[in-house]
Amino acid sequence: DDNLTGGNYWRSNWKFISLGAMKGLGNVTKIPSSGWAYKVAVTPGHGYVGKTIKYETGNSGKPIDSAYVRIYVTNYIVSTSNEIIGAEIKYQAPFKP
């Protein structure tokens, strides 16, 4: 669906944020404090950050850990019928600016 798609998966919660157009993975250098979403449109030449927060099991559900990945979209993957079927990406995890 041409998106980075997160959500809740077994005690963790993935979200993404677009940082806009940039020249490469090395230009993804910060972790924004707001603007995170479960679904973010993928665009070649744009940088992104993904965030997961793991939660305790049981009733408390307190956050216990977080991790980040930086992502850069290099190109769309196109089918023989000229439909976008994916994206080529570069990424680094864990990402600690």
Side-chain angles (χ1 to χ4, degrees):
D1 60 355
D2 304 332
N3 293 296
L4 293 170
T5 304
N8 294 312
Y9 303 101
W10 194 70
R11 294 192 326 231
S12 67
N13 183 352
W14 275 97
K15 291 184 179 181
F16 298 92
I17 189 165
S18 173
L19 301 178
M22 53 188 55
K23 293 184 179 184
L25 183 63
N27 295 106
V28 178
T29 59
K30 64 180 181 176
I31 297 175
S33 59
S34 63
W36 297 91
Y38 288 112
K39 188 179 278 191
V40 176
V42 169
T43 304
H46 284 218
Y48 303 83
V49 176
K51 168 176 74 170
T52 184
I53 300 173
K54 293 184 181 181
Y55 298 92
E56 288 181 346
T57 57
N59 293 333
S60 72
K62 292 180 185 176
I64 56 172
D65 192 17
S66 61
Y68 298 89
V69 57
R70 66 178 171 175
I71 303 164
Y72 180 74
V73 179
T74 58
N75 209 348
Y76 286 129
I77 300 170
V78 180
S79 71
T80 55
S81 60
N82 221 20
E83 294 180 54
I84 297 171
I85 58 173
E88 296 175 358
I89 66 168
K90 293 181 178 184
Y91 68 92
Q92 178 192 4
F95 169 52
K96 297 177 183 177

